[in-house]
Structures are given as C-alpha cells and as structure tokens.
C-alpha cells in the first residue's frame, strides 16, 4: 500500500510537470555542469534509425561510437581499415557541434587474434606488437585529429582483484603497454584528451588497482586527462556510499572524471554479477525476463528514483565530473537486451522504445532544477 501511494505520488509529480520539464533537454539542463551524451550504434551511424539520431542531436552534446572504432571493426584485417561508419558518425557529431569521444584503442575484447600474431600464426614479440599498436593508434587517432576530442585509450586493463588483467597485451609487451598506448595517442593528436576507462570502478580492490595505475602514469609524466567510470550499474549497486567514496577518491587525482557508459539494469542478474565483461553469458530463463510486455509504473518509479539519486551524486561532484554519457539512446536499442542474457526486454535508459522520455528522464532533469533553486 505504501509503495502504491509512493508510486502514485511520484508519477503525479513527474506527469504533472511535463509541460515545464518537457521543454527542457538534457544538454540544456546540464549545460553549466557537465556534458551529457549517448553512445551511437553502427546501425544508427549508418542512418538506419534517423529518429534516434534526431533525438540524440536534440538531447546530447557529446557522442561515443558504441562499436565502430573498436579494433575488430575499424581494423578487421592486417593493413585493412574500415572508416565508413566512423566517418559518418564524425560528420553527424561535427554537424551538431558535439564533443566526440573515441572508444577504444586498447582492449582485451573485440580485438582480433591476428593482432598478436605474425603471418605464420606465431605470437609477435614485444617490439613487433608495440610497432603494431603504434601503427594502429597513429592511423585511427591521426585520421580524426582535431575532430575526436577525447579517447578511451585503454579500456578495462585492471582485474577484479586490482592486479593488471592477464591479457595478451600484458603477456607480450609487459606492464608498460599502457603508458606506450597513451604516448602513441598523444603523439598522434597532441590536443586530444586521453582517458583510462573501466567497469566495477567502485569495488574496493579494483579501485585501488585503478588508482595505482593512474598514479603510476602521472608519476611518470604520461599525459592522461581523465578516468572513465563506465556506469553499467543496477538498482542496488553501487550503493550511494560506495559511489560517493569512489568519486571522492578518483577526484583526488585532479583528473577529469567521466561517467562513460551509463545504464541501469533493472532485470535480475544471475549470481548478483555486477561487472560488464562482454564475454559473460547466462542462459535465458523466464524469471530473468520479467517485463517482456512493458515496464509497470511501479518499476518506472523505482528506476526514476535510482536515476535521481545517481545524478544527485554526479552533481555533488560536478567540479570533477566533466561528462555523463549513456550507453545508448533508447531502451529498444540497448546492448542490455542481449547481454548478459540474449533476447530480454530491458529498460535501462531515459527514453523508451517509442523514443519518449520515461519518468526517469523527468527525475534526472528535476535533480538539476533543484540545484539551480538552491
Ligand atoms: C558493448 C556494446 O554495447 C555491444 O554492442 C557489443 O556487442 C559489446 O560491447 N564495456 C565497454 C563497451 O567498454 O565497449 C561495451 O560495449 C560494454 C562494456
């Protein structure tokens, strides 16, 4: 009963105000505080969902390519680059005056096996792999010099226990593959901002690992401008205290802090898994797909409240946070419909499948209005 009353109250609150709030766009509402954006999929960049691009142009002032600049897409074979979609994305971003983020140069996923091998299928040695990395970074970053303003240079290099992830990059090159990647990116575009990006950044052990990595880069004088917290979160993780502590700690580096891939998974996740390792996969079962025909109002409310509390924290750290990017534009096209379980109906973003703002959208706008009134 209490929940019901709260939910009615809440929807009244957010449906009674739309005329006023509706006229607000996200980029307008947050303009004094941080950039706000979304990831654009290959499908969308190819122009196959023009209404989603229109919504992105209306609401966002920054975009990130969801997949098209990952190694396997942009450089699928030795000597073969494929810039068709990324060129389109850049054109769209520039036309709309957006801050374009490049994602990503070095990662353990979506990187073909050939990258680590020679023509005979033998693993490269350190110098050969460094040369290959350098060539890749110079080609991709160089092509968009002055247009892509910030790069996720290294993605997910830290493991859950805080140690460096045992990737092929680490195995073949050694720990300094990270600083080398930053150096190459800096050579290729001295003006571009350079970031380290990861998930589960609020877990204590991992947080310590990321802080160690970042401090090491800073001590060595490597150019790094920001730390990207992916933000693939749930209704109860991270807790507000965990988020607060981690924002405080990352801010203490003096670097720019970004929430780079925000989405809130409200569907049940097996084993309470909180990570975003894309190779993780669980079997589909009915109980894991509870809302195939639409999200009940009560859950819209829960999601809206969660978004409101998260944005409350982002605004608290607005002096350090320079950007918040959602991982997608609307629910219909979110990767969470197929990960970590294929074929679910997911509701993680601010816009629904009809591209209409959800109660969570109004809740987010309201957080910033409250700040403005103080
Ligand atoms: C995801 C994309 O959204 C999916 O379309 C793709 O199939 C797999 O990768 N962390 C990252 C992103 O840094 O690049 C991932 O994006 C999600 C997790």
């Amino acid at each position: 009963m209490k929940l019901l009353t709260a939910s009615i109250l809440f929807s009244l609150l957010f449906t009674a105000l739309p005329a006023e709030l509706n006229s607000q766009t996200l980029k307008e509402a947050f303009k004094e505080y941080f950039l706000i954006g979304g990831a654009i999929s290959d499908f969308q960049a190819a122009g196959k969902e023009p209404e989603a691009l229109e919504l992105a142009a209306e609401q966002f002032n920054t975009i990130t390519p969801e997949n098209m600049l990952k190694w396997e897409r942009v450089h699928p074979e030795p000597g073969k680059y494929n810039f068709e979609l990324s060129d389109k994305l850049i054109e769209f971003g520039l036309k709309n005056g957006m801050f374009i983020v490049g994602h990503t140069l070095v990662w353990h996923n979506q990187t073909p096996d050939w990258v680590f091998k020679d023509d005979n299928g033998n693993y490269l040695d350190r110098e050969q792999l460094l040369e290959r990395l350098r060539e890749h970074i110079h080609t991709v970053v160089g092509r968009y010099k002055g247009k892509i303003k910030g790069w996720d240079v290294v993605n997910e290099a830290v493991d859950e226990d805080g140690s460096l992830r045992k990737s092929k990059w680490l195995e073949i090159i050694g720990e300094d593959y990270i600083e080398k990647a930053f150096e190459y990116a800096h050579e290729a575009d001295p003006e571009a901002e350079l970031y380290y990006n990861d998930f589960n950044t609020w877990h204590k052990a991992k947080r310590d690992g990321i802080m160690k990595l970042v401090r090491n880069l800073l001590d060595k004088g490597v150019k790094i401008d920001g730390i990207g917290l992916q933000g693939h979160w749930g209704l109860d993780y991270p807790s507000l205290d965990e988020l607060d502590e981690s924002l405080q700690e990352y801010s203490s580096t003096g670097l720019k802090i970004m929430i780079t891939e925000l989405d809130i998974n409200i569907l049940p996740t097996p084993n309470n898994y909180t990570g975003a390792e894309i190779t993780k996969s669980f079997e589909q079962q009915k109980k894991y797909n509870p809302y195939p025909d639409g999200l009940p109002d009560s859950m819209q409310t829960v999601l809206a409240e969660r978004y409101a509390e998260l944005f409350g924290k982002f605004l608290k750290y607005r002096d350090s946070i320079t950007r918040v990017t959602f991982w997608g534009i609307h629910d219909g096209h979110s990767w969470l419909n197929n990960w970590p379980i294929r074929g679910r109906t997911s509701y993680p973003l601010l816009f629904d499948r009809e591209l209409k703002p959800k109660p969570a959208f109004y809740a987010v706008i309201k957080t910033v209005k409250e700040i403005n009134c103080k």
Side-chain angles (χ1 to χ4, degrees):
M1 183 60 198
K2 224 174 127 201
L3 194 72
L4 196 69
T5 327
S7 125
I8 293 171
L9 248 178
F10 197 79
S11 33
L12 269 180
L13 200 64
F14 291 120
T15 44
L17 296 175
E20 185 212 357
L21 294 181
N22 225 349
S23 58
Q24 278 277 348
T25 61
L26 292 167
K27 65 179 178 189
E28 184 58 28
F30 286 92
K31 70 171 188 289
E32 279 177 51
Y33 305 117
F34 38 72
L35 295 170
I36 192 133
I40 308 286
S41 73
D42 290 22
F43 185 77
Q44 290 158 344
K48 293 183 183 156
E49 202 189 20
E51 53 296 0
L53 286 189
E54 232 169 80
L55 181 62
E58 176 191 282
Q59 296 290 333
F60 299 145
N61 47 24
T62 172
I63 48 169
T64 306
E66 186 175 353
N67 285 299
M68 69 208 82
L69 281 177
K70 292 172 181 173
W71 197 309
E72 68 176 14
R73 303 293 172 96
V74 75
H75 191 180
E77 288 168 34
K80 186 178 162 221
Y81 283 89
N82 180 3
F83 289 116
E84 202 188 315
L85 288 180
S86 42
D87 283 355
K88 289 207 165 100
L89 174 109
I90 303 292
E91 196 189 311
F92 167 76
L94 292 178
K95 197 173 91 199
N96 288 288
M98 292 164 149
F99 183 98
I100 308 172
V101 178
H103 176 80
T104 177
L105 298 170
V106 186
W107 194 19
H108 65 286
N109 281 319
Q110 294 184 274
T111 304
D113 277 349
W114 66 258
V115 172
F116 306 101
K117 295 180 177 169
D118 66 16
D119 293 346
N120 301 319
N122 299 317
Y123 281 111
L124 301 182
D125 64 22
R126 168 183 159 89
E127 291 313 316
Q128 290 166 323
L129 186 56
L130 278 174
E131 184 42 40
R132 187 161 281 175
L133 179 63
R134 185 175 183 282
E135 190 273 338
H136 175 85
I137 292 181
H138 271 258
T139 307
V140 179
V141 175
R143 182 178 183 93
Y144 299 121
K145 186 174 174 189
K147 296 178 175 165
I148 288 189
K149 302 280 189 197
W151 276 97
D152 289 338
V153 178
V154 177
N155 199 28
E156 304 175 357
V158 176
D159 223 330
E160 296 311 295
D161 64 359
S163 66
L164 287 183
R165 183 184 293 279
K166 316 277 167 303
S167 67
K168 280 273 162 289
W169 297 111
L170 180 69
E171 209 178 289
I172 298 176
I173 299 176
E175 294 193 1
D176 62 344
Y177 84 87
I178 298 173
E179 63 200 66
K180 291 288 178 197
F182 277 87
E183 279 167 27
Y184 300 153
H186 185 45
E187 283 164 16
D189 185 354
E191 300 297 317
E193 292 189 349
L194 307 179
Y195 317 131
Y196 175 75
N197 192 51
D198 214 327
F199 64 81
N200 273 348
T201 49
W202 47 280
H203 282 188
K204 182 74 178 90
K206 192 157 178 178
R207 204 170 91 194
D208 291 347
I210 295 172
M211 285 296 289
K212 193 170 147 204
L213 181 158
V214 167
R215 291 219 181 278
N216 182 38
L217 293 177
L218 289 170
D219 287 348
K220 288 185 167 164
V222 174
K223 176 182 157 80
I224 170 171
D225 301 279
I227 307 175
L229 320 179
Q230 289 185 5
H232 296 295
W233 294 333
L235 290 174
D236 55 3
Y237 63 87
S239 70
L240 286 188
D241 286 346
E242 285 163 334
L243 178 61
D244 197 278
E245 267 174 38
S246 55
L247 286 173
Q248 200 174 344
E249 182 158 16
Y250 292 125
S251 301
S252 74
T253 59
L255 294 174
K256 298 180 173 177
I257 308 302
M258 287 144 227
I259 316 297
T260 54
E261 306 182 14
L262 183 60
D263 47 23
I264 303 302
N265 194 354
I266 61 172
L267 304 181
T269 307
N271 308 339
N272 295 326
Y273 179 69
T274 66
E277 168 54 50
I278 66 163
T279 54
K280 193 97 190 159
S281 139
F282 300 98
E283 201 189 323
Q284 166 71 287
Q285 288 180 43
K286 230 172 169 180
K287 63 174 178 183
Y288 293 134
N289 191 26
Y291 315 112
D293 305 317
L295 195 61
D297 286 352
S298 57
M299 284 308 293
Q300 293 279 11
T301 306
V302 169
L303 180 68
E305 286 171 342
R306 175 64 170 155
Y307 263 117
E309 64 185 23
L310 292 174
F311 271 80
K313 285 290 177 208
F314 302 160
L315 287 166
K316 173 175 172 195
Y317 287 94
R318 60 187 180 270
D319 290 345
S320 319
I321 294 181
T322 56
R323 171 169 63 93
V324 175
T325 298
F326 291 91
W327 206 237
I329 301 173
H330 65 93
D331 288 346
H333 214 81
S334 159
W335 75 305
L336 293 179
N337 292 302
N338 287 304
W339 180 94
I341 299 180
R342 290 202 72 79
R344 295 198 294 180
T345 311
S346 205
Y347 302 87
L349 300 168
L350 301 189
F351 296 93
D352 68 16
R353 288 171 164 71
E354 269 82 58
L355 278 62
K356 297 268 180 326
K358 294 155 64 176
F361 169 89
Y362 299 114
V364 163
I365 299 256
K366 193 161 175 275
T367 58
V368 78
K369 293 223 145 196
E370 280 167 2
I371 278 241
N372 289 338
C373 296
K374 272 181 198 156

